[in-house]
Amino acid sequence: MTIQNFISYGKQNIDEEDIQAVIDTLRSPYLTQGPKIAEFERAIAEYVGTKYAVAFTNGTAALHGACYAAGIGVGDEVITSPITFAASANCVRYVGGSVVFADIDQYTYNINPEEIRKKITSKTKAIIPVDFTGQPVDIDEIMQIAKEHNLVVIEDGAHSLGATYKERKVGQTADMTMFSFHPVKPVTTAEGGMIVTNNEEFYKKLMQFRSHGIEATQYASEQGAWYYEMTDLGYNYRMTDMQAALGLSQIKKLDSFIERRQEIAKKYNLEFQKNSRVTTPKLLVETSSGWHLYILQLKGLNRKEVFDLMRAANIGVHVHYIPVYWHPYYRNIGYEKGLCPVAEAWYEKALTLPIHPSLTDEQINYIVDTLKSILKK
Ligand SMILES: *Cc1c(COP(=O)(O)O)cnc(C)c1O
């Protein structure tokens, strides 16, 4: 077999059309706060099927904005998954709230609604479920829990733009849904993020928050065209027009990217579902995954050994994610190992295989053959 160059677990897919879109914007009068942002927001809102979309500098800033819009603050508790990128929890800390971790389901890898119920107290204000690996969470069940307890649901859809739940695109159901446009995510703007919502009040707060807390007020309009009012403390979390132009060009290709990811996942499932040394990921019925990540669970194997052998073969396997509360920051504020036993046991056995639209069939076969021969040893 030919020696492969390093195959990364995820990667952007940029073509000449994308490059031209950015160049055209560089030649236009606006580098930021021009027409491309609103166009990109409209394109995402239309794609997902929501009334509003608000672009941010990145997905983390977008989550920060959503926590602000939801009114989360000191004394509030917010429930999220421990198996996620730290930003899903950190956004709660930015606004002074406390993070409560609810355990996952070991087969879908997503937060378990029954565990959410167990963690609700009189202080619970919101739930941040994460569509981990691109697989939608059981959002109808989570919305039902939220309704019973008057909670806001902010779905972390960083992995799941284009995925569907009961024929509805992710983003239509939660109160607010975040998408990330980091290069490894479903489509990219280099750095970038978005909140989609159908709620006008949240929409207005998000717009204000991303632009210094400035708001269009009656008083300001009476003073003259130069006048504006900053009515709350906001941030500069604005995306640039160059990034939005790239996003507009990328979104046209999203469905074909997902199709390719689904093909690769199908191949991995086929190759590994009968292998007694691994467990393949399970999907909820009536969902389709965006397959941002493909994660196997190893059975009775030393994960580090398998990981190192795959890396030595130039295959960029990875591990997503270290339970968030294991990080020293969270340990230092009182979280202890053992909090979510299913998640912790799951983490010890998890191995991410490369999956992204530009992987070739030859590379995929090489990954499959290499892993199979390691599993045999
Ligand atoms: C990438 C990611 C984020 C943060 O998005 P950025 O655009 O990188 O700030 C949040 N949550 C999850 C699950 C992610 O994977």
Side-chain angles (χ1 to χ4, degrees), residues 47-168:
Y47 180 87
V48 170
T50 56
K51 267 198 200 146
Y52 309 104
V54 181
F56 283 84
T57 45
N58 54 60
T60 304
L63 282 173
H64 186 185
C67 287
Y68 167 84
I72 297 161
V74 177
D76 294 329
E77 292 177 357
V78 178
I79 299 170
T80 192
S81 173
I83 300 296
T84 183
F85 183 58
S88 318
N90 295 350
C91 58
V92 176
R93 303 293 302 143
Y94 297 158
V95 294
S98 305
V99 186
V100 174
F101 295 98
D103 215 338
I104 62 161
D105 175 280
Q106 63 171 315
Y107 299 107
T108 66
Y109 315 163
N110 272 332
I111 195 166
N112 182 341
E114 283 315 305
E115 296 296 321
I116 295 176
R117 284 189 189 276
K118 288 184 200 162
K119 294 294 170 92
I120 289 173
T121 72
S122 59
K123 292 181 183 164
T124 309
K125 176 92 182 177
I127 309 169
I128 305 183
V130 182
D131 303 317
F132 179 53
T133 74
Q135 171 171 195
V137 289
D138 193 351
I139 194 67
D140 280 355
E141 179 62 19
I142 292 169
M143 293 307 286
Q144 179 58 35
I145 296 169
K147 201 171 139 197
E148 287 165 24
H149 299 274
N150 196 24
L151 312 174
V152 179
V153 176
I154 302 167
E155 190 169 354
D156 181 334
H159 300 179
S160 62
L161 181 62
T164 61
Y165 176 91
K166 298 184 182 170
E167 319 243 310
R168 309 194 298 271

Side-chain angles (χ1 to χ4, degrees), residues 294-296 298 303 306-307 317-318 349-353 371:
Y294 186 92
I295 303 179
L296 289 171
L298 304 178
R303 195 251 314 266
V306 178
F307 182 98
V317 287
H318 219 291
K349 296 183 283 186
L351 186 73
T352 303
L353 300 187
L371 182 57

